[in-house]
């Protein structure tokens, strides 16, 4: 991956399958993510506005280049139904070099490096 940006794995939760599919597709269409998988349902337990919450959610796992993260987060915040959507990015420490290069290539704004 020499010369390519760092690859990130980004997790986002959404309250419906349809919403997760819509958000995942829009991230890929805008080249904010090379790939976005939707899984669920999952059960989330958390505190919100001083109360314990338990909700069914769907998880999006997107792969992107680190230099696209700010744009991806901005898109999620603008399109997401939650006031404060979960967007958590972690660096990918390794993997198939050809796949990691593909992630970087697919997240270029104009489709070119």
């Amino acid at each position: 991956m020499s010369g390519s940006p760092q690859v990130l794995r980004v997790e986002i939760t959404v309250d419906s399958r349809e919403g997760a599919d819509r958000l995942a597709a829009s991230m890929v269409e805008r080249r904010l993510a090379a790939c976005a998988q939707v899984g669920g349902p999952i059960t989330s337990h958390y505190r919100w506005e001083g109360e314990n919450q338990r909700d069914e959610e769907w998880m999006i796992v997107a792969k992107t280049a680190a230099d696209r993260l700010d744009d991806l987060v901005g898109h999620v915040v603008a399109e997401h139904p939650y006031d404060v959507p979960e967007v958590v990015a972690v660096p990918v420490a390794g993997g198939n070099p050809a796949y990691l290069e593909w992630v970087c290539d697919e997240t270029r704004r104009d489709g070119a490096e």
Side-chain angles (χ1 to χ4, degrees):
M1 240 182 63
S2 64
S4 295
Q6 171 68 45
V7 172
L8 302 175
R9 181 176 183 215
V10 184
E11 296 178 358
I12 302 154
T13 53
V14 182
D15 61 354
S16 71
R17 173 67 190 230
E18 297 76 21
D21 284 337
R22 208 170 20 256
L23 190 56
S26 70
M27 289 186 290
V28 173
E29 287 167 7
R30 288 170 175 78
R31 293 187 173 271
L32 300 171
C35 173
Q37 293 130 344
V38 174
I42 60 172
T43 303
S44 294
H45 297 263
Y46 58 97
R47 286 186 62 79
W48 181 251
E49 298 179 342
E51 299 290 328
N52 288 335
Q53 307 290 327
R54 178 184 180 274
D55 289 309
E56 182 176 277
E57 295 184 298
W58 297 83
M59 175 73 71
I60 302 169
V61 177
K63 273 68 75 186
T64 192
D67 64 353
R68 297 295 278 149
L69 181 61
D70 289 344
D71 291 334
L72 186 148
V73 171
H75 176 72
V76 170
V77 168
E79 300 296 322
H80 203 286
Y82 295 175
D83 292 337
V84 181
E86 173 188 0
V87 183
V88 178
V90 294
V92 173
N96 177 353
Y99 178 81
L100 300 176
E101 191 67 33
W102 172 80
V103 168
C104 293
D105 289 347
E106 288 301 313
T107 56
R108 300 304 89 199
R109 286 182 179 94
D110 61 2
E113 268 202 63

